Amino acid sequence: ILFAIFAQTAGATYFLPYYTDGPGTATGLAVRNGSSSVGTNVEIEVFRSNGTKIDSRIVSLNPDGQWSGVIQTSGNDEGWIRIDSDQKIAGLCFVLKDDAMMDVPFTDDLSTRFIIPHAAQDETWDTIIYAANPNSAAVTAIIRFYNESGSEVANLTTTIPALGSYQVPLD
């Protein structure tokens, strides 16, 4: 389960709460310019979970143009991605990890609270929550897990560093 903790920002900024690069893992992006008349520049920044920036690149898109590629850093990194664009873009992030592939569509809708309607942890399902903090200051995140009857059965309060990210395996 992927989500990011957002601060209100202007412009077309997108946050992808999980990035991985290493043996058996990969993260890719596909972006498309939403304008049929104006080109756009897209800046892609990759951060480690401790908030250290490890990659930055600019991709130029023609009107109606697109770009896709695998984002590779020095390897064995995990973190999150911020994407800034001159204007609105459509996009998809795909992550390959543990013999599974996750697809995450881009959104520039901002929120500070998320309700995840389904999470499961058993011999078939393995839920991990990924959270990113794109803010310049640390934030406190509270994660609560409720059973089917609505009773809270577990909770976790953690601090996510400035420009950092955090993983919570439900097991």
Side-chain angles (χ1 to χ4, degrees):
I1 295 174
L2 304 166
F3 72 94
I5 298 171
F6 299 116
Q8 294 293 331
T9 59
T13 300
Y14 306 86
F15 302 97
L16 300 166
Y18 187 64
Y19 164 82
T20 185
D21 179 26
T25 67
T27 301
L29 295 176
V31 295
R32 182 179 187 280
N33 187 350
S35 173
S36 59
S37 60
V38 178
T40 189
N41 291 312
V42 177
E43 181 178 15
I44 302 165
E45 296 177 294
V46 182
F47 297 85
R48 285 192 180 100
S49 57
N50 67 5
T52 305
K53 187 188 302 186
I54 54 176
D55 190 38
S56 180
R57 65 186 72 189
I58 295 178
V59 175
S60 295
L61 301 175
N62 292 326
D64 288 327
Q66 66 156 347
W67 173 86
S68 63
V70 175
I71 305 297
Q72 294 178 313
T73 59
S74 60
N76 295 317
D77 284 316
E78 286 190 320
W80 65 282
I81 299 172
R82 179 175 59 207
I83 298 172
D84 290 302
S85 179
D86 297 344
Q87 58 192 359
K88 297 264 185 185
I89 57 173
L92 181 69
C93 174
F94 44 96
V95 177
L96 174 65
K97 182 178 180 181
D98 299 329
D99 296 325
M101 184 176 221
M102 302 174 273
D103 295 331
V104 183
F106 289 17
T107 181
D108 62 347
D109 293 333
L110 305 177
S111 179
T112 58
R113 182 178 177 176
F114 296 90
I115 297 175
I116 301 167
H118 176 74
Q121 189 65 43
D122 57 28
E123 57 279 342
T124 303
W125 301 105
D126 186 18
T127 300
I128 301 172
I129 298 170
Y130 298 95
N133 173 16
N135 301 295
S136 60
V139 297
T140 299
I142 302 169
I143 300 167
R144 293 183 173 97
F145 187 78
Y146 296 87
N147 64 17
E148 290 176 351
S149 66
S151 298
E152 183 178 314
V153 294
N155 66 64
L156 170 72
T157 300
T158 189
T159 300
I160 304 175
L163 301 175
S165 62
Y166 191 75
Q167 297 180 35
V168 183
L170 290 188
D171 65 347

